[in-house]
Amino acid sequence: MQPPGHDWYVLFPNHHQGLRLHRVLREAGVECTVAPTPRVASASCGISLLIQEADLTLVSRLAAEHGIEVSGTVKVARTAHWQYRGC
Amino acid sequence: MKVIYLDNAATTHPKPECVYQAVDRFNREAGGNPGRGGSRATLQAGSVVLEAREALAGLFNAADSSRVCFALNVTESLNTALKGILAPGDHVITSAMEHNAVARPLFALQSRGIEWTVVPCAPDGSLDPEDVRRAIRPHTRMMCVLHASNVTGTIMPIAEIGRIAREHGVLFVVDAAQTAGVLPLDVEAQHIDILAFAGHKGLLGPQGTGGMYIRPGITVRPLKEGGTGSRSESLQQPDFLPDALESGTMNTPGIAGLLAGVGYVRQQGIEVIRAHERRLTDMLLDGLREIPGCQVLGPASSLQRTAVVSFNLEGVDCGEVSMALDHRYGIMTRSGLHCAPLAHATLGTLERGACRMSPGYFTSEEDVAFAVRAVADIARRSRP
């Protein structure tokens, strides 16, 4: 049964910035999952971070505090493969 | 016959055990291609590269690790820095002790309208920063100086040169091939704009590793374009670092080893490594000077040099000395011009070359004492 709703993806210019935020979020106890960037979010073949809607502000703040470059945060309709997410 | 490796200026050997293990572990257990997709294997590999960038940034006191770009060796990074910045009409200043990693690209760039001034050095290879200041012209774009000579170990006054470069708004590029991991490097205190390093020498990583740090605000054109794992939808090369300068799959197993090497250096402490190598250098300098007919090149004191000692025996070809040391005594050295004809011209040994001994952190005092006795033996046997 696929839950309705949306996912939030944080996009990055490159892997370096994505991996940095992944580490920062893990250390801060913020749930997140590294995921390939969905094509609807960006044509880039890099990585994204799946985060929870409730953490949007916190994630933006942590990225800014650590000088991590983020290309954007996008809302994407949830798909059938939701079960692989950590959040 | 026991082998004594005294060619650490070419590449350090052996490596710490943790370096061998890190390379092996990466190849067996991680194995992904960093930056390519988002699989767990990719993330594992990407984390190794990220950690290595951060470890190097920490070692060089660089605030932004995304500006540490990996390459196959320091030569590739120096070529990128020189060819990716200098444009026709620019003037560049170097010392007269530079390695061919700098001299050959600049020689080639002269035919493309770049002007190059070589500032003379003293016969021991030392450089007066004021001579560098006097070489500045209105169109000087860059100063590129090696931190220490690969022939004599002569340590250059890079902090002073960096200050002069900054005062005049000139870019300062440092070739730290011989010093990263052996002498303190601080891109802020030494006013370094681009720091090129070898991964397989003082940093104790595997061959096929190197790179450079580029200060924020400096744009370097890439030598090559290609896949970076980022902005794949665009045919235009990304303009942000490190991606702009890291096209194609990198030597990730090597970088895993380099990360372990940097960790080892930081754990031991550069001061401890330097103190050990200075002791060995003093032993070599004192021992070789006592041998009749032995001419030792470079500064008199180990304080002014890294652990590199080149010498000649009167009446004996340097290649013969090196071969005798290898085959008769099991001692590995390097003879010839050491890819540094400018340096040998400064030292007056362009025709003759020299035999170079370069101990490392894993060289013992007994090894050096044996090497000195071996040279004395060769000198005695060679006397008419």
Side-chain angles (χ1 to χ4, degrees):
Chain A
M1 179 74 182
Q2 179 184 342
H6 292 84
D7 284 320
W8 287 90
Y9 284 85
V10 185
L11 311 183
F12 304 94
N14 59 7
H15 257 248
H16 182 79
Q17 304 295 342
L19 291 175
R20 284 182 66 209
L21 186 60
H22 181 231
R23 192 175 53 193
V24 166
L25 296 187
R26 267 187 319 181
E27 284 169 3
V30 179
E31 281 187 17
C32 63
T33 304
V34 175
T37 306
R39 300 289 294 170
V40 293
S42 164
S44 167
C45 64
I47 56 161
S48 306
L49 285 184
L50 263 168
I51 59 166
Q52 298 190 72
E53 190 166 357
D55 293 327
L56 278 169
T57 311
L58 174 62
V59 169
S60 296
R61 184 168 59 78
L62 286 170
E65 276 176 14
H66 288 82
I68 296 167
E69 268 184 72
V70 168
S71 303
T73 308
V74 293
K75 192 177 176 182
V76 175
R78 196 165 286 166
T79 69
H81 302 292
W82 59 272
Q83 67 269 28
Y84 299 118
R85 292 166 208 142
C87 65
Chain B
M1 187 178 0
K2 182 192 172 189
V3 169
I4 296 176
Y5 184 82
L6 293 183
D7 200 11
N8 289 277
T11 193
T12 49
H13 179 78
K15 310 296 181 187
E17 185 57 33
C18 61
V19 171
Y20 301 128
Q21 287 173 0
V23 175
D24 189 61
R25 195 166 51 245
F26 180 86
N27 279 322
R28 287 178 198 279
E29 296 170 19
N33 194 335
R36 272 59 174 175
S39 74
R40 279 172 291 165
T42 290
L43 294 179
Q44 219 173 334
S47 298
V48 167
V49 176
L50 172 65
E51 274 186 55
R53 277 191 225 287
E54 293 185 336
L56 287 158
L59 191 69
F60 302 144
N61 190 30
D64 185 353
S65 64
S66 76
R67 302 192 70 87
V68 174
C69 302
F70 288 112
L72 286 181
N73 45 57
V74 68
T75 298
E76 187 181 2
S77 290
L78 287 165
N79 266 266
T80 307
L82 298 170
K83 294 172 181 168
I85 291 178
L86 296 172
D90 284 343
H91 174 237
V92 56
I93 299 168
T94 72
S95 81
M97 290 298 283
E98 301 304 318
H99 188 276
N100 273 347
V102 163
R104 281 184 172 168
L106 288 179
F107 183 80
L109 283 170
Q110 282 182 305
S111 66
R112 297 182 220 164
I114 280 109
E115 219 178 316
W116 174 24
T117 296
V118 178
V119 177
C121 295
D124 66 354
S126 59
L127 177 65
D128 182 348
E130 288 308 311
D131 287 342
V132 178
R133 187 195 296 276
R134 280 187 280 274
I136 296 173
R137 297 180 195 172
H139 59 300
T140 302
R141 182 86 187 277
M142 179 189 287
M143 294 173 184
C144 180
V145 176
L146 80 179
H147 192 186
S149 163
N150 68 309
V151 180
T152 55
T154 310
I155 298 168
M156 298 301 186
I158 58 163
E160 289 83 349
I161 299 170
R163 197 173 308 119
I164 293 168
R166 194 58 59 88
E167 279 170 25
H168 289 80
V170 171
L171 289 175
F172 185 39
V173 178
V174 172
D175 169 5
Q178 293 295 325
T179 56
V182 171
L183 293 181
L185 277 160
D186 184 323
V187 294
E188 295 304 324
Q190 294 165 324
H191 309 292
I192 298 170
D193 292 309
I194 295 183
L195 178 70
F197 60 88
H200 64 103
K201 296 189 182 187
L203 295 174
L204 304 174
Q207 292 179 31
T209 59
M212 63 176 154
Y213 163 76
I214 303 168
R215 182 181 293 283
I218 298 170
T219 303
V220 181
R221 293 183 301 273
L223 283 189
K224 57 188 178 189
E225 291 86 15
T228 58
S230 52
R231 299 250 172 105
S232 295
E233 73 282 11
S234 172
L235 294 184
Q236 195 175 347
Q237 182 76 359
D239 58 1
F240 45 81
L241 295 181
D243 304 39
L245 302 181
E246 288 184 351
S247 290
T249 299
M250 52 176 61
N251 177 10
T252 321
I255 291 169
L258 173 58
L259 171 61
V262 173
Y264 184 87
V265 166
R266 297 187 87 171
Q267 181 208 349
Q268 297 292 305
I270 282 184
E271 303 75 21
V272 173
I273 293 171
R274 170 75 174 141
H276 178 68
E277 293 196 357
R278 271 196 66 194
R279 266 196 305 280
L280 301 178
T281 307
D282 280 329
M283 282 181 68
L284 269 179
L285 290 172
D286 293 345
L288 292 175
R289 281 192 196 115
E290 281 180 16
I291 298 170
C294 184
Q295 181 210 4
V296 180
L297 307 175
S301 160
S302 67
L303 198 59
Q304 298 145 344
R305 59 196 297 164
T306 53
V308 175
V309 179
S310 292
F311 65 95
N312 272 310
L313 291 181
E314 200 181 326
V316 192
D317 184 275
C318 63
E320 279 181 40
V321 175
S322 192
M323 200 161 76
L325 285 168
D326 181 355
H327 292 271
R328 203 179 296 152
Y329 306 93
I331 299 169
M332 308 298 136
T333 61
R334 181 173 174 196
S335 63
L337 294 182
H338 313 96
C339 298
L342 287 181
H344 277 282
T346 298
L347 303 165
T349 48
L350 187 57
E351 294 300 319
R352 194 172 179 198
C355 179
R356 179 182 75 183
M357 288 181 163
S358 48
Y361 189 54
F362 298 114
T363 308
S364 69
E365 293 184 12
E366 292 72 32
D367 292 340
V368 170
F370 180 75
V372 169
R373 287 199 301 276
V375 176
D377 195 31
I378 294 168
R380 189 175 47 75
R381 286 167 181 250
S382 306
R383 274 179 221 122

